[in-house]
Structures are given as structure tokens and as C-alpha cells.
Amino acid sequence: QVQLVESGGGLVQPGGSLTLSCTPNGNVASFRMMGWYRQAPGKQRELVATITQRDNINYADAVKGRFIISRENVPNMLYLQMNLLKPEDTAVYYCSASRFTTYFGQGTRVTVSS
């Protein structure tokens, strides 16, 4: 069973930055794809960014140019660097990891507010 633990969420002012981290219980290089999703209050979960084993990266239009997804084998982590945050980025952010199925972590809350 894949387990993913997110950290780094919190309260930030508009225009600020946060970096989310995700620690899987398997090597990040062993997953076909890893990514970040988010769910805002009253909305469905949506894709934020993904990165494949071959380092192909995809971003949602809403975060292009502001967010950066990356992963490191040492330490064994997935990151989401979030810049120029907007109130509409407020959501619970979930780490995901895919082999034959997709697993999600418990989420970390990000609130963008003045």
C-alpha cells in the first residue's frame, strides 16, 4: 500500500509563496507519475501539476508560470513551489502517486488571504 504524507501548507498573504512537500513510502523514481491536486471548498478536486518518470511536466492553466513541480531522489521527495499566490489558490492540496492505480495523501491546507 502506497502512503503519501504532505507538509508545508499554511496561511499566506496574496502574492506570497509556499512550498509543499510530499514524502512517499516508496522511491519517487518507482512511480510512473506523481503530482499535485487540489480541492477548494464546494468544488471538485482538480489537477494542479504532474511529473512523469521521464520528467515530463504538465500544469493546469490556472497555475502555469506561478507553480513549479519537482522531485528529488535524495531526499525522497516531491515538491510544489507556489509563487504569486492568489486567494483562488486556497484549497486542500493532495499529493498523488501512480503505478497501476493512483494513490492520494491526506492533504495539506493552503489558505491565501490578507
Side-chain angles (χ1 to χ4, degrees), residues 3-65:
Q3 294 182 337
L4 304 164
V5 179
E6 302 97 336
S7 61
L11 173 65
V12 63
Q13 292 187 342
S17 298
L18 274 179
T19 298
L20 305 182
S21 302
C22 173
T23 304
N25 65 343
N27 194 303
V28 292
S30 72
F31 296 106
R32 177 177 56 83
M33 180 183 293
M34 296 192 74
W36 292 94
Y37 288 72
R38 67 186 182 185
Q39 186 166 15
K43 295 187 177 182
Q44 290 187 330
R45 187 176 298 184
E46 62 178 6
L47 173 73
V48 175
T50 57
I51 182 168
T52 70
Q53 279 182 319
R54 297 185 178 184
D55 289 331
N56 292 318
I57 291 174
N58 179 54
Y59 294 104
D61 288 343
V63 306
K64 280 181 182 176

